[in-house]
Amino acid sequence: MIRLHRTDDHGWFVETNRADHNHPLAENCGEKMQWNSHKRIDQATKDTVRYLRENNASLSKVHCILGSMHQSGDKLPFPKKSLCTICQQIAFSQKDDDIKKTIDLFRSMRAADPDFAFRFDLDPEGRIKNLIWTSGRSRRQYTCFGDVVVFDTTYTTNLYKMPFGLFVGVNNHFQTVIYAGILMSEETIEGFNWAYTEFVSLMGGKAPLTMLTDQCRAMEVAIGMTLPNTVHRWCKWHVFRKAKEELGGIYSKKTGFKDAFNNVVNEMLTEDEFEKGWGKLVEDFGLGENSFMIRAFEARHKWAKPFFKDKYCARMTSTQRVESANHMLKTYVPRNSSMNKFVSQYNKLLKDRNEAEDSEEHKNKQCNRKESCGWPIEKHARRIYTRAVMKLFKAELERGQNFNPPKEIEAQSLYELEHSYAHLRPSWARTKFTVRVEEGQHFLCECGLFGHFGVVCAHVIRLMIHLGLNQIPDFHVLKRWTKSARDILGPSVEGPQETELSLPKSFRHNIMYVSALELVKMGDLAESKYRIVMKHITAAKKELREDETPVAPLYYSSGAEDDGEGRRATNNRAQLEGLADSGAMTSDGVLIKEPLIKRGRGRPKATRFKSFLDGGCKKTATKDKRQEGDRPEGLSKQTTFCKRCRKPGHNSSTCTVLPDGRTDPETGVLQKKPRRQNKLSAGTVSQSTMVPDSSLEISSIGLGDSGYEADDEVSIGYDGHDDGEQQEADDGDGNEQILLIIPIEVGPGDVGAGI
């Protein structure tokens, strides 16, 4: 230790010097780093750590990156524990005033994007129950490509363990576009009703034509209640993901079942063909009583190809796009993220998808390939379709060359196309297709590809070339797949004022602003023109004041209204009119609180109303035991199966089959397995002893060497039968004891022993 003092001339001198230390010395650099003097981190490093943590970098990655910045991890001027402390402080700072920060973030997003909007739903305590938001660009994308929507939820993304759902679609480049995100407190019918209603409201009231989800039963009911005109389809991957597990060895390649199964699922075009093919498949492999096959067939109208070949799905049959979006989201959002952090990171995912879309738009405009050869109809398709759609059209064009020239069955109305190599095709493959022509412009093929995809099939292309068409008819050109899919113009300034198209607020503002400037210029030309302009402006103001059309506030929760059938009633709070000017408070003074943090171990359990095909749990089975009159509207019926014998019509509690297959031959009632009795060696218990617990102190054993001696303790179980007598006795210390007289099998015979 060295003590320094100041001198009168502002110098220093050593007052005390002690060579010994009052603590043991560190023997290496690692021990030295543990002293408090080495635990301080400078502000620049703290900022770097904060930036890395905001981009979902783990603690170990942050430590490695800082080590690389110092040439080696051994040369860091602080220990890893100090770095962990800084990361904890950053996490705690993000969680403080979470709701206020989230709403302030929404306000800033609204200031940067006039078309940004969000909705929230509060419980009776004022806590956020559901929260949905969308950007202006997402709403404009929905206007162009919102005919098909895929919806799915994911877990472990936020601090409150709230499932997060994504509304996803596909654009004209076959890229995934995100329409909206929603945080839900629970996956129930009421929760999904609120989600779908608010989603359609945010998108201008336009409901999608088709919606793809997994087999969640609550989603099925909610879509039927809130979107009655929307076609609901199940994800095919979710339907068959457990096929291998449920079917066992039959699903292996050696049996031939897998190929036959895929042929029935993917190649059958009509409902009759599908049902016959399915029946033959079940019969050939002996699966008539298989629970998985029975349930899949009962729900065929939700997933089978023949039932949806004319339903537009934008060439999507699964929720793979939303699954991919969820996977990408988890690369941006850390586990147990606060709500404001979650929204901020979600915006980064949205920006990434928008950048990919802009890149493809640029390539379509600037990279136009000209070909000197090819069919005229092919050149027309190249001019109108995007590059991604053109690849698919080209594949259909090449596939159409495998068919012979069409045969005219009915004059200029019905044609038949046969495959050129029909004799080489598999037995299950169709070799003939019929195409009906209406009004010379409408081509209807029995394969149904145009109705499902929106692009003409190989059979129609072959027929068009045979008929000498140089262009694809306008009826078969879906604008959403063309390069001009986004060219949706609003009404002109001089045009009609009434339109069914929901226009973004920023577009309306620009139109009114330009119109007002034109009126100012025209009014400046002469005083008479000025009076005309002012007369019409005064009349417009009066008409606007008298207009009683309700104007929805920018931020509100519409989940409290009830339509009389309980479809929208999610809480008992009156409808909220909007937010206060600042802070996390509504305009009527209700303080908005954060959701309660759900504490739990491991992955959150799925508590939603699942389908049996989706791995139905006990809760699902219990809920499905309802009468037909109590079944919710839109819920499809599903056969219940016993978990013990895997047969329909009963459950395990009423099953009459034992695990080994034995039943009472007369009554058919389940035979209870006989209880195993404890046995002793050849000998008898000659003296009864009262014991307080389940142990028995044997005083003496006779009739041969039984292996037990005096003072040995053995446990004898009571089988629950009323074969013995029960008596109460006193052990001498005032404690009551139970005295049982039970016949015990101890050898060749039964001997009564007092216990």
Side-chain angles (χ1 to χ4, degrees), residues 493-656:
V493 176
E494 303 295 337
Q497 300 297 320
E498 295 183 0
T499 176
E500 296 180 357
L501 181 63
S502 179
L503 301 176
K505 183 178 179 181
S506 60
F507 181 83
R508 300 195 306 265
H509 175 83
N510 293 334
I511 290 294
M512 290 187 294
Y513 184 76
V514 173
S515 301
L517 290 179
E518 291 184 358
L519 289 176
V520 171
K521 289 182 180 180
M522 296 171 66
D524 286 341
L525 297 177
E527 185 175 354
S528 60
K529 296 181 181 294
Y530 161 76
R531 296 184 183 278
I532 294 175
V533 171
M534 292 305 299
K535 181 182 70 172
H536 287 285
I537 290 178
T538 304
K541 288 182 178 179
K542 182 179 179 181
E543 185 178 356
L544 289 173
R545 292 192 185 100
E546 294 176 353
D547 185 12
E548 298 181 355
T549 302
V551 180
L554 182 60
Y555 315 104
Y556 70 99
S557 171
S558 60
E561 295 297 324
D562 194 339
D563 62 355
E565 299 181 5
R567 296 183 180 182
R568 295 284 304 280
T570 57
N571 57 47
N572 298 323
R573 185 177 297 281
Q575 181 160 339
L576 303 173
E577 293 299 332
L579 287 181
D581 295 335
S582 62
M585 186 174 294
T586 62
S587 57
D588 55 353
V590 178
L591 180 64
I592 304 176
K593 304 176 184 178
E594 67 277 1
L596 294 175
I597 300 178
K598 301 177 182 179
R599 302 290 184 182
R601 299 178 60 186
R603 181 190 177 100
K605 295 181 179 179
T607 57
R608 59 184 181 173
F609 193 10
K610 287 185 177 181
S611 161
F612 283 108
L613 287 173
D614 199 21
C617 55
K618 294 181 179 179
K619 182 176 180 180
T620 305
T622 303
K623 284 192 175 183
D624 217 26
K625 298 175 190 174
R626 61 183 82 213
Q627 301 296 328
E628 290 295 332
D630 299 333
R631 185 176 299 277
E633 179 184 353
L635 182 64
S636 58
K637 183 179 179 180
Q638 290 183 338
T639 303
T640 59
F641 286 82
C642 175
K643 294 182 179 179
R644 176 177 295 166
C645 65
R646 307 298 294 175
K647 293 183 178 180
H650 63 278
N651 54 32
S652 58
S653 62
T654 59
C655 182
T656 61

Side-chain angles (χ1 to χ4, degrees), residues 106-385:
F106 283 157
R107 288 193 177 101
S108 63
M109 294 168 64
R110 176 64 178 82
D113 181 6
D115 294 327
F116 171 83
F118 75 93
R119 304 284 188 264
F120 57 85
D121 186 22
L122 304 182
D123 63 9
E125 297 180 358
R127 299 185 183 275
I128 285 187
K129 190 176 181 181
N130 300 305
L131 176 64
I132 184 173
W133 69 97
T134 181
S135 66
R137 177 163 180 167
S138 296
R139 300 172 75 179
R140 290 188 291 272
Q141 288 172 332
Y142 182 85
T143 303
C144 304
F145 312 113
D147 41 18
V148 180
V149 173
V150 184
F151 178 76
D152 195 13
T153 56
T154 186
Y155 305 90
T156 63
T157 58
N158 56 86
L159 176 67
Y160 308 102
K161 311 301 181 185
M162 299 175 68
F164 176 69
L166 275 177
F167 292 90
V168 168
V170 59
N171 62 10
N172 56 338
H173 306 296
F174 272 97
Q175 294 175 318
T176 300
V177 291
I178 300 175
Y179 299 134
I182 180 172
L183 286 170
M184 307 176 63
S185 59
E186 54 185 9
E187 295 178 288
T188 60
I189 296 177
E190 292 76 11
F192 287 121
N193 274 340
W194 187 92
Y196 299 148
T197 302
E198 293 303 329
F199 172 73
V200 173
S201 174
L202 288 173
M203 298 302 156
K206 174 187 173 183
L209 300 178
T210 307
M211 198 163 187
L212 278 75
T213 68
D214 59 14
Q215 285 75 48
C216 177
R217 305 278 279 174
M219 291 185 189
E220 180 183 355
V221 176
I223 292 175
M225 295 170 66
T226 59
L227 306 173
N229 298 323
T230 298
V231 176
H232 179 214
R233 180 169 184 173
W234 283 354
C235 168
K236 188 182 293 186
W237 179 84
H238 279 88
V239 173
F240 298 116
R241 64 174 180 167
K242 292 202 171 189
K244 187 174 182 179
E245 176 183 342
E246 295 288 340
L247 298 175
I250 300 177
Y251 197 77
S252 63
K253 296 181 180 179
K254 296 181 180 179
T255 61
F257 172 82
K258 187 175 182 179
D259 294 336
F261 181 75
N262 291 332
N263 294 336
V264 173
V265 171
N266 299 319
E267 302 298 335
M268 301 302 174
L269 297 179
T270 64
E271 297 179 14
D272 184 60
E273 287 180 358
F274 175 82
E275 292 176 356
K276 289 182 179 179
W278 188 277
K280 187 175 185 304
L281 179 71
V282 169
E283 181 181 357
D284 291 345
F285 292 92
L287 300 174
E289 297 183 356
N290 184 272
S291 59
F292 174 80
M293 298 295 288
I294 293 176
R295 290 168 182 163
F297 185 74
E298 288 177 346
R300 62 190 181 279
H301 62 284
K302 288 289 185 181
W303 59 266
K305 181 177 180 179
F307 295 87
F308 287 91
K309 69 176 183 179
D310 295 327
K311 307 297 182 182
Y312 181 70
C313 297
R315 205 170 177 264
M316 293 187 293
T317 59
S318 70
T319 59
Q320 181 181 3
R321 291 188 179 275
V322 72
E323 297 285 355
S324 301
N326 285 330
H327 177 73
M328 290 187 293
L329 178 66
K330 291 184 178 181
T331 62
Y332 289 94
V333 180
R335 292 172 59 90
N336 300 326
S337 173
S338 59
M339 190 173 292
N340 69 88
K341 180 67 176 178
F342 182 89
V343 175
S344 177
Q345 297 301 105
Y346 169 86
N347 291 338
K348 294 182 179 180
L349 171 64
L350 207 60
K351 184 178 181 300
D352 179 75
R353 302 312 309 155
N354 292 338
E355 184 178 350
E357 183 180 25
D358 293 337
S359 174
E360 193 62 28
E361 275 289 298
H362 173 77
K363 293 178 181 178
N364 272 271
K365 293 178 180 179
Q366 306 301 328
C367 304
N368 293 324
R369 186 176 61 177
K370 296 183 179 180
E371 295 184 359
S372 58
C373 59
W375 297 100
I377 198 172
E378 180 183 358
K379 295 182 179 180
H380 177 245
R382 193 175 299 280
R383 288 198 308 269
I384 61 175
Y385 287 137

